[in-house]
Amino acid sequence: MADDSVFLALRALPILVSLDDDEVRTLAGLAERKTYARGSYAFRESQPRRAFGTVVSGRIDIIKGFQGLPQVLHVLGPGESFGEGSLLDEYPHSTSGVVREEAEVLEIPRGGLRGIAETDTRLFGKLAMAAAQLISSRLRYANARLSNRGLGYVSGELRTEHDLIGEREVPAEAFWGVHTLRAMENFPITGIPIGVSPHLVEALAA
């Protein structure tokens, strides 16, 4: 039986927002607490996915690439999830999780997830759908980040903004809003974002 802190940590995850409390408690009952030391790997690129998890405390760098200067796509903090692909397929990790600050995490092993797939197809279907949506968002924004054209790794959480045309959802991490979203969609004049020229951005701000 999971304690309330495990339930509350999972209940707060954006990816699990569609689950009811009983379903979250089912996941909490499978969760394992783990602590990773600074400099260790929570998971490694190209290695099999072991679990779906969330950070309780500490920081984990999401890194792409092995050689040269690997790029940090995002820094996972408390309340953010990782390993969502464990819900969908057997493919290995596409990134590495390097612990920046000693991290306590909750992990639900693949074996537990497979058990849910066999015994509670409705719950597993909701998990798989949520994971697919989040991974799709992360792929779009990771691609934008790697090409210097946008955000990076995203939590999957959205916020709703509105203008005179109507309402639109934008990533919660974005510093821009609905006006910028519409401009990006409707005026791709050069295809080169201003962010590729940080000195110009600083000059404009000054």
Side-chain angles (χ1 to χ4, degrees):
M1 183 72 176
D3 61 43
D4 286 343
S5 65
V6 175
F7 167 77
L8 292 173
L10 296 179
R11 178 72 284 176
L13 287 178
I15 190 175
L16 302 183
V17 69
S18 66
L19 274 58
D20 62 38
D21 286 353
D22 288 340
E23 290 170 330
V24 174
R25 289 191 186 282
T26 296
L27 296 180
L30 300 172
E32 301 173 355
R33 286 188 184 272
K34 292 191 175 182
T35 300
Y36 291 99
R38 182 176 183 273
S40 65
Y41 283 81
F43 52 89
R44 288 178 181 264
E45 185 174 347
S46 297
Q47 291 190 355
R49 294 189 177 101
R50 299 177 294 99
F52 161 66
T54 181
V55 180
V56 176
S57 64
R59 305 278 177 184
I60 299 176
D61 289 348
I62 303 300
I63 292 177
K64 181 68 176 176
F66 292 109
Q67 300 176 347
L69 294 173
Q71 183 163 9
V72 178
L73 300 178
H74 183 64
V75 180
L76 286 179
E80 295 187 88
S81 62
F82 60 88
E84 296 85 2
S86 301
L87 295 159
L88 299 176
D89 55 47
E90 301 286 341
Y91 285 104
H93 285 286
S94 58
T95 57
S96 295
V98 181
V99 180
R100 175 183 292 196
E101 300 171 5
E102 182 177 88
E104 180 185 356
V105 304
L106 294 173
E107 294 184 355
I108 302 172
R110 277 191 61 85
L113 298 173
R114 283 195 294 267
I116 291 175
E118 295 170 358
T119 61
D120 192 338
T121 54
R122 181 175 182 275
L123 171 55
F124 189 79
K126 292 168 75 172
L127 288 170
M129 177 67 72
Q133 292 172 339
L134 177 56
I135 290 170
S136 176
S137 295
R138 284 183 173 169
L139 286 172
R140 289 197 304 272
Y141 289 109
N143 179 65
R145 176 68 177 272
L146 289 169
S147 61
N148 292 315
R149 295 188 60 184
L151 284 171
Y153 207 77
V154 295
S155 69
E157 191 170 1
L158 300 171
R159 68 175 192 266
T160 301
E161 296 204 358
H162 67 275
D163 58 9
L164 293 177
I165 299 176
E167 292 188 344
R168 289 294 299 275
E169 290 184 331
V170 299
E173 291 86 352
F175 292 120
W176 40 264
V178 63
H179 300 294
T180 299
L181 176 65
R182 295 197 193 283
M184 290 189 297
E185 292 175 342
N186 295 297
F187 307 109
I189 299 170
T190 65
I192 302 172
I194 195 172
V196 302
S197 304
H199 295 301
L200 175 58
V201 174
E202 291 171 5
L204 291 170

